[in-house]
């Protein structure tokens, strides 16, 4: 019988590291800690080894299609497929409240468009019954946008990846052409690039679940975590935040598919654009 295989992206620190640690403690299989920077990834492996845990490192830059393809080839040749994927790799450049086009594009490329590359190369290797968890945030709830046309598009039960791409690209063009409208977003449009990337990620979760019925694909807001991405400090530590992700991987019913889960394991109605309880304002 083939070994069970779990893969976590962006896992050399913070939430990804905590998820790897939790999986090493509870998952009956091989856990891959992946990171863009090989040195930092190996250091994370060393620290986990000192705790008696044995994850395996592999370099993976999710924003580089060649890197993703290379990793997919490795998984296919060594294991034939895999069973768990946590899409955690993400960036947020806090100083750019109203970012330049370059900063906005960088955020979108890592936080959203990388998932399309991962789908292309890694999803064909997911075995029946596999579980995918996409790390979203409070910024990924639909209430973070106010533009009614976009809301109607994203709420369409037949939403396509192409339509999500149009939503993302229209935002990027508005930044590039200096036609960006703060009123199209919650919280006066602050960090709209992050809201757009995480909304797109969550929407893609729903679209992908319709396409891949033999696996479970869910999105989660893990909470306001104490990491270097949490401007001004977070509310929960990474180990605590990892619990909801580990729950979706190890304990949740396989029938739980295409959902948006809050950090307290509450199932949230993503298709509720006027419920501001779930939008992110100020620190998140």
């Amino acid at each position: 019988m083939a070994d069970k295989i779990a893969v976590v992206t962006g896992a050399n620190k913070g939430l990804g590291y905590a998820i790897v640690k939790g999986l090493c403690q509870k998952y009956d299989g091989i856990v891959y800690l992946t990171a863009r920077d090989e040195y930092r990834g190996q250091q994370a492996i060393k620290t986990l080894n000192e705790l008696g845990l044995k994850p395996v490192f592999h370099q993976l830059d999710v924003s580089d299609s060649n890197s993703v393809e290379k990793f997919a080839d490795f998984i296919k040749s060594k294991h034939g497929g895999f069973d768990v994927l946590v899409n955690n790799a993400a960036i947020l450049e806090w100083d750019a409240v109203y970012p330049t086009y370059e900063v906005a594009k960088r955020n979108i490329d890592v936080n959203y468009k990388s998932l399309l590359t991962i789908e292309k190369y890694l999803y064909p290797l997911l075995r029946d019954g596999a579980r995918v968890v996409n790390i979203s945030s409070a910024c990924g709830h639909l209430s973070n946008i106010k533009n009614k046309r976009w809301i109607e598009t994203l709420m369409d039960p037949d939403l396509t990846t192409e339509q999500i791409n149009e939503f993302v690209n229209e935002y990027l063009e508005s930044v590039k052409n200096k036609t960006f409208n703060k009123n199209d977003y919650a919280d006066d449009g602050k960090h709209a690039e992050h809201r757009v990337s995480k909304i797109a990620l969550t929407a893609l979760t729903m679209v992908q679940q319709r396409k891949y019925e033999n696996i479970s694909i869910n999105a989660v807001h893990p909470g306001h975590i104490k990491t270097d991405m949490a401007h001004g400090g977070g509310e929960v530590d990474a180990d605590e935040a990892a619990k909801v992700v580990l729950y979706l991987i190890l304990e949740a019913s396989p029938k739980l598919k295409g959902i948006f889960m809050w950090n307290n394991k509450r199932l949230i109605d993503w298709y509720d654009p006027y419920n501001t309880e779930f939008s992110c304002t100020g620190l998140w």
Side-chain angles (χ1 to χ4, degrees):
M1 184 177 177
D3 288 326
K4 287 190 174 182
I5 307 297
V7 173
V8 184
T9 70
N12 64 282
K13 61 181 179 180
L15 179 61
Y17 176 89
I19 294 167
V20 168
K21 181 167 70 172
L23 284 173
C24 285
Q25 293 167 338
K26 300 177 181 179
Y27 184 67
D28 183 20
I30 298 169
V31 182
Y32 277 91
L33 182 158
T34 72
R36 179 179 57 83
D37 186 291
E38 182 159 359
Y39 174 77
R40 292 176 180 174
Q42 294 288 8
Q43 288 299 111
I45 292 288
K46 182 180 178 182
T47 303
L48 289 166
N49 287 166
E50 291 170 355
L51 297 175
L53 305 175
K54 303 294 182 183
V56 180
F57 175 74
H58 199 287
Q59 193 276 339
L60 176 62
D61 181 351
V62 298
S63 64
D64 180 348
S65 61
N66 290 329
S67 177
V68 178
E69 184 176 14
K70 182 179 178 181
F71 179 63
D73 289 343
F74 166 80
I75 291 292
K76 184 176 182 179
S77 62
K78 188 167 182 65
H79 303 291
F82 69 118
D83 308 274
V84 171
L85 172 61
V86 181
N87 288 310
N88 170 71
I91 61 170
L92 172 56
E93 298 178 47
W94 264 104
D95 292 337
V97 176
Y98 297 107
T100 63
Y101 173 76
E102 289 73 23
V103 170
K105 184 177 184 301
R106 192 155 53 237
N107 184 289
I108 297 289
D109 284 348
V110 174
N111 295 3
Y112 167 65
K113 291 193 175 180
S114 68
L115 271 72
L116 303 178
T117 308
I118 285 170
E119 179 181 354
K120 178 179 178 180
Y121 293 110
L122 286 173
Y123 274 45
L125 302 178
L126 287 167
R127 298 174 179 138
D128 284 351
R131 300 194 179 201
V132 177
V133 181
N134 293 328
I135 306 300
S136 186
S137 79
C139 290
H141 191 265
L142 200 55
S143 58
N144 284 279
I145 56 173
K146 304 301 180 187
N147 183 298
K148 290 185 178 180
R149 179 170 57 85
W150 291 343
I151 290 171
E152 289 174 1
T153 296
L154 293 168
M155 288 183 70
D156 187 339
D158 297 318
L159 179 70
T160 65
T161 301
E162 289 73 25
Q163 288 174 304
I164 301 173
N165 292 341
E166 288 173 9
F167 159 67
V168 166
N169 292 332
E170 189 172 320
Y171 159 71
L172 287 174
E173 284 300 310
S174 76
V175 176
K176 188 175 185 179
N177 299 332
K178 302 190 185 307
T179 57
F180 170 76
N181 184 355
K182 296 178 182 179
N183 295 325
D184 284 336
Y185 308 89
D187 200 25
D188 206 25
K190 295 173 184 173
H191 284 295
E193 84 288 359
H194 202 63
R195 298 174 199 273
V196 168
S197 70
K198 290 300 186 178
I199 289 167
L201 173 148
T202 311
L204 184 65
T205 301
M206 317 300 183
V207 171
Q208 289 179 334
Q209 185 62 86
R210 296 202 315 268
K211 292 166 64 177
Y212 305 97
E213 297 180 354
N214 62 324
I215 62 178
S216 300
I217 309 174
N218 297 305
V220 63
H221 162 51
H224 181 215
I225 308 168
K226 297 173 183 175
T227 69
D228 57 4
M229 275 181 63
H231 188 61
E235 297 170 353
V236 297
D237 64 32
D239 287 337
E240 184 67 25
K243 288 180 179 178
V244 66
V245 181
L246 294 170
Y247 167 77
L248 283 170
I249 296 168
L250 303 171
E251 300 176 44
S253 167
K255 295 180 180 179
L256 201 63
K257 295 183 174 185
I259 57 91
F260 185 40
M261 181 172 281
W262 215 244
N263 61 312
N264 58 3
K265 300 178 185 174
R266 178 181 173 188
L267 294 182
I268 300 303
D269 183 5
W270 188 74
Y271 299 97
D272 187 3
Y274 306 110
N275 190 342
T276 56
E277 175 187 358
F278 304 117
S279 57
C280 55
T281 56
L283 302 179
W284 62 88

